[in-house]
Structure formats: structure tokens, C-alpha cells
Amino acid sequence: MASLREIQRRMSSIRSTMQITRTMEMISTARIHKALVRAEEAEPYKDAITRMLANVAESGFTTEQPLLAQRAEEKHVLFILVASDKGLAGGFNIVQQRAVEAEMRRLHARGIESSVITCGRKPTEYFTYRKMAPVMSFVGISSEPNQDEADRIASYVMRGYATGEIDRVVLYYWHAKNRVEQTQVVEQLLPITKDQLTMPNKPREREALTRVEGHTYTDFAFDPSAEEVLGHLMPAYFRTVIFHALLDSAAAEHGARRRAMQSATDNAREVLNTLERTFNRVRQGSITTELNEIIGGASALEDN
């Protein structure tokens, strides 16, 4: 059995760890409200431009638009992975990273090329270490994303798809349902089909075209043409959807870290309670042994 001094060292170490996890839990709790507010404030803009896109597409959908062109064969798939700069957030990073990596390997086995854009230091390091260097990466701003980051991603995506270098674009991120619950979102940004834009869809939480209500209006008069309006609207749509995904992921990151640190604090407290009981038991045994030695020594003196 461990000595009293060793148990005390372990208890001191766990108390220090518990102070760190508790502090990180409090920081994430304080930050998650602000992050949720930012995501909720951006949501009406995303919903509005998504509905607008669907309404215009009803009158002006044409595959001659570079961003609406359909590919006869899929040769290159681009993944956009939104994660975080820091760890200690449970499976927030690793679940998404492994999902994207597995999909990239499946595509490679079928002879299809793939690449990834990473938002966050953790996914950037993950794919770089595996010799799958991202074509574009953003670090240091996962908890406070900005519009410039979304604009650069959207520009790269649209340019690649319009020139034929990219045939499909898939977005991976975590959606913050509330302060304690996060859900994984896998959303295909491109290609967009007419059915996605014009058919009634069953709403899903905070996802782009899948959230469009089944109401379209075809009696608008467009000047310039609906096709030209649609061409100008598509870039704004992609920038808005990607920026909202970044904001949503930032809120989910704080929620995931708060939950992970709360769990770590609770586990540390349980281990500390167990060690305290062990310490008391060992100390009681030590005291009993010392008393027996004293009594034995006294009895030996009396016998002499």
C-alpha cells in the first residue's frame, strides 16, 4: 500500500489539476453566452438570403451559371473543416478530424482526389502531421471568427468550382443547439441542384438550403434578368453560410469545453475523495501499529 507521503503528493497534484479544470470551466461558461448571441444574431441574415436565393432560382435557375453547373464526373472533392485552436474540449476536434480523414481515404480508394480547408490549429496540425496538408488554413481565431475568414474561404471555393478544379464542396462543423448540447453538421455546399432550391424541404436546425421553407414566388419582375441576379446572389449566399458556420462552431467549442472541463472536475473530485478515504485508512492503520508497538514495549518492560 502507498505511504502517507505518497498519497498526500497525489492529493496535492489532483487538487492543482482540479483548480485548472474548474477555472477553464468557468471561462468557457462566461464566453459561451457571447458566442451564442453572435450566432443567433447572424442566423436571420442567413435564413433571409437562403430564402431569397430559392425565390430567385425559381425564375432564374440555369446550369449555365458557373456556380450552378452540374458535373458529369466527380474528380476532386473539397472539405471545409471548422474546429478549434485549442484542445481540452472532449471529442470536439477529433470526431470531425477522423470523419473527414476517413472520407478522404474512401475517395482516394475510388481514385477521386480530395483536399481540405482547416479552420483551427488542431485540425491544421492533424492533417499536416498525416502528410495531408490543407490547401488553406486559419489559426488563432477559432473562438472569435471574422468575416474576412469566411470571405477568403468562399472566394477559394467559388473560384475552384467555377474553373472546374473542384467538383464537390462539403462543410463539416458543430452546431450549438444550446449551452450544453452540440450536434455534428455535414452539409454539401456545392453542387446545388434546382430541387434543393425549389422543392419543399423539411427544416433542419441552422443548415443552409435544407432550412428553406416550401414557399416560392414566381411573379417577380427582375431587372436585370433573374439569371443575372442569381449570379450576384450566389457569392453573398456562400459567404453568409460559411460565416454563420464559423460563429456556430465557436459557440459549440465553448459549450464542448465547458462540458469536458466540468466532467474532468467531477472526476478529479471523485478521485480525491477516494484518496482521502485511503489516506485516513492508512493513517489509522499506522496509528494502530504505533499504539500496538508502545503497548508491546510497555508489557516487555513490566515483564522485566
Coordinates of all heavy atoms in Angstrom, one line a residue, residues 39 42 46 80 82 145 150 171-175 185 187 189 206 239-252:
A39 N -24.0 34.0 -32.9 CA -24.5 33.0 -33.9 C -26.0 33.3 -34.1 O -26.5 33.2 -35.2 CB -24.3 31.6 -33.3
A42 N -26.6 36.3 -36.3 CA -26.3 36.1 -37.7 C -27.3 35.2 -38.4 O -27.4 35.2 -39.6 CB -24.9 35.5 -37.8
K46 N -28.7 34.7 -42.6 CA -28.5 33.5 -43.4 C -29.8 33.0 -43.9 O -30.0 32.6 -45.0 CB -27.8 32.4 -42.5 CG -27.4 31.2 -43.3 CD -27.1 30.0 -42.4 CE -28.3 29.5 -41.7 NZ -28.0 28.3 -41.0
I80 N -14.4 21.4 -46.1 CA -14.1 22.6 -45.2 C -14.4 22.1 -43.8 O -15.5 21.8 -43.4 CB -15.1 23.8 -45.6 CG1 -14.9 24.2 -47.0 CG2 -14.7 25.0 -44.6 CD1 -15.9 25.2 -47.5
V82 N -14.3 22.9 -39.9 CA -14.3 24.0 -38.9 C -14.2 23.4 -37.5 O -15.1 22.6 -37.1 CB -15.6 24.9 -38.9 CG1 -15.5 26.0 -37.9 CG2 -15.8 25.4 -40.3
P145 N -14.2 34.2 -34.7 CA -14.1 34.2 -36.2 C -14.5 35.6 -36.7 O -15.3 36.3 -36.1 CB -15.0 33.1 -36.6 CG -16.0 32.9 -35.5 CD -15.3 33.2 -34.3
A150 N -14.3 34.1 -43.6 CA -15.4 33.5 -44.4 C -15.3 33.9 -45.8 O -15.5 33.1 -46.8 CB -16.8 33.9 -43.8
L171 N -19.1 20.8 -46.1 CA -18.7 21.6 -44.9 C -19.0 20.8 -43.7 O -20.1 20.2 -43.5 CB -19.6 22.9 -44.9 CG -19.5 23.8 -43.7 CD1 -18.1 24.3 -43.5 CD2 -20.5 24.9 -43.8
Y172 N -18.0 20.7 -42.8 CA -18.1 20.0 -41.5 C -18.0 21.0 -40.4 O -17.0 21.7 -40.3 CB -17.0 18.9 -41.4 CG -17.2 17.6 -42.1 CD1 -17.1 17.6 -43.5 CD2 -17.5 16.5 -41.5 CE1 -17.3 16.4 -44.2 CE2 -17.7 15.3 -42.2 CZ -17.6 15.3 -43.5 OH -17.8 14.1 -44.2
Y173 N -18.9 21.0 -39.5 CA -18.8 21.8 -38.3 C -19.8 21.3 -37.2 O -20.6 20.5 -37.4 CB -19.1 23.3 -38.6 CG -20.5 23.7 -39.0 CD1 -21.4 24.2 -38.0 CD2 -21.0 23.5 -40.3 CE1 -22.7 24.5 -38.4 CE2 -22.3 23.8 -40.6 CZ -23.1 24.3 -39.7 OH -24.4 24.7 -40.0
W174 N -19.6 21.9 -36.0 CA -20.5 21.6 -34.9 C -21.5 22.7 -34.7 O -21.2 23.9 -34.7 CB -19.7 21.4 -33.6 CG -18.9 20.2 -33.5 CD1 -17.6 20.0 -33.7 CD2 -19.4 18.9 -33.1 NE1 -17.2 18.7 -33.5 CE2 -18.3 18.0 -33.1 CE3 -20.7 18.4 -32.7 CZ2 -18.4 16.6 -32.8 CZ3 -20.8 17.0 -32.4 CH2 -19.7 16.2 -32.5
H175 N -22.8 22.3 -34.5 CA -23.8 23.3 -34.3 C -24.2 23.3 -32.8 O -24.4 22.3 -32.2 CB -25.1 22.9 -35.1 CG -26.4 23.5 -34.5 ND1 -26.5 24.8 -34.3 CD2 -27.5 22.9 -34.2 CE1 -27.7 25.0 -33.9 NE2 -28.4 23.9 -33.7
V185 N -22.7 18.7 -37.9 CA -23.4 19.1 -39.2 C -22.4 18.7 -40.3 O -21.3 19.1 -40.3 CB -23.7 20.6 -39.2 CG1 -24.3 20.9 -40.5 CG2 -24.7 20.9 -38.1
E187 N -22.7 19.3 -44.3 CA -23.5 20.0 -45.3 C -22.8 20.1 -46.6 O -21.7 20.6 -46.7 CB -23.9 21.3 -44.7 CG -24.9 22.1 -45.6 CD -25.3 23.4 -45.0 OE1 -25.0 23.6 -43.8 OE2 -25.9 24.2 -45.7
L189 N -22.2 22.1 -49.8 CA -22.4 23.4 -50.3 C -22.6 23.4 -51.8 O -23.4 24.2 -52.4 CB -21.3 24.3 -49.9 CG -21.1 24.6 -48.4 CD1 -19.9 25.5 -48.2 CD2 -22.4 25.1 -47.8
R206 N -30.6 25.1 -38.4 CA -29.5 26.0 -38.8 C -28.6 25.4 -40.0 O -27.4 25.6 -40.0 CB -28.6 26.3 -37.6 CG -29.3 27.1 -36.5 CD -28.3 27.6 -35.5 NE -29.0 28.2 -34.4 CZ -28.4 28.7 -33.3 NH1 -27.1 28.7 -33.3 NH2 -29.1 29.1 -32.3
R239 N -20.8 33.3 -48.7 CA -20.1 34.0 -47.6 C -20.9 34.0 -46.3 O -20.4 33.8 -45.2 CB -19.8 35.4 -48.0 CG -18.8 35.6 -49.2 CD -18.4 37.0 -49.4 NE -17.5 37.1 -50.6 CZ -17.9 37.4 -51.8 NH1 -19.2 37.7 -52.1 NH2 -17.0 37.5 -52.8
T240 N -22.2 34.2 -46.5 CA -23.1 34.2 -45.3 C -23.2 32.8 -44.6 O -23.1 32.7 -43.4 CB -24.5 34.7 -45.7 OG1 -24.4 35.9 -46.3 CG2 -25.4 34.8 -44.4
V241 N -23.3 31.8 -45.4 CA -23.4 30.4 -44.8 C -22.2 30.0 -44.1 O -22.2 29.5 -43.0 CB -23.8 29.4 -45.9 CG1 -23.7 28.0 -45.4 CG2 -25.3 29.7 -46.4
I242 N -21.0 30.3 -44.8 CA -19.7 29.9 -44.2 C -19.5 30.7 -42.9 O -19.0 30.2 -41.9 CB -18.6 30.1 -45.2 CG1 -18.8 29.1 -46.3 CG2 -17.2 29.9 -44.5 CD1 -17.8 29.3 -47.5
F243 N -19.8 32.0 -42.9 CA -19.5 32.8 -41.7 C -20.4 32.4 -40.6 O -19.9 32.3 -39.4 CB -19.8 34.3 -42.0 CG -19.5 35.2 -40.9 CD1 -18.3 35.2 -40.2 CD2 -20.5 36.2 -40.5 CE1 -18.0 36.0 -39.2 CE2 -20.2 37.0 -39.4 CZ -19.0 37.0 -38.8
H244 N -21.7 32.0 -40.9 CA -22.5 31.5 -39.8 C -22.0 30.2 -39.2 O -22.1 29.9 -38.0 CB -24.0 31.4 -40.3 CG -24.9 31.0 -39.2 ND1 -25.2 29.7 -38.9 CD2 -25.6 31.7 -38.3 CE1 -26.0 29.7 -37.9 NE2 -26.3 30.9 -37.5
A245 N -21.5 29.3 -40.1 CA -20.9 28.1 -39.6 C -19.7 28.3 -38.7 O -19.6 27.6 -37.6 CB -20.5 27.2 -40.8
L246 N -18.9 29.3 -39.0 CA -17.8 29.7 -38.1 C -18.3 30.2 -36.7 O -17.7 29.8 -35.7 CB -16.9 30.7 -38.8 CG -16.2 30.3 -40.1 CD1 -15.5 31.6 -40.7 CD2 -15.2 29.3 -39.8
L247 N -19.3 31.0 -36.8 CA -19.9 31.5 -35.5 C -20.5 30.4 -34.7 O -20.4 30.3 -33.5 CB -20.9 32.6 -35.8 CG -20.4 33.9 -36.4 CD1 -21.5 34.8 -36.8 CD2 -19.4 34.6 -35.5
D248 N -21.2 29.6 -35.4 CA -21.9 28.5 -34.7 C -20.9 27.5 -34.1 O -21.1 27.0 -32.9 CB -22.8 27.7 -35.7 CG -24.0 27.0 -35.1 OD1 -24.1 27.0 -33.8 OD2 -24.8 26.4 -35.8
S249 N -19.8 27.2 -34.8 CA -18.8 26.4 -34.3 C -18.1 27.0 -33.1 O -17.7 26.2 -32.1 CB -17.7 26.1 -35.4 OG -16.7 25.2 -34.9
A250 N -17.9 28.3 -33.1 CA -17.2 28.9 -31.9 C -18.1 28.8 -30.7 O -17.6 28.5 -29.6 CB -17.0 30.4 -32.2
A251 N -19.4 28.9 -30.8 CA -20.3 28.7 -29.7 C -20.3 27.2 -29.2 O -20.2 26.9 -28.0 CB -21.7 29.1 -30.0
A252 N -20.2 26.3 -30.2 CA -20.2 24.9 -29.8 C -18.9 24.5 -29.1 O -18.9 23.7 -28.2 CB -20.4 24.1 -31.1

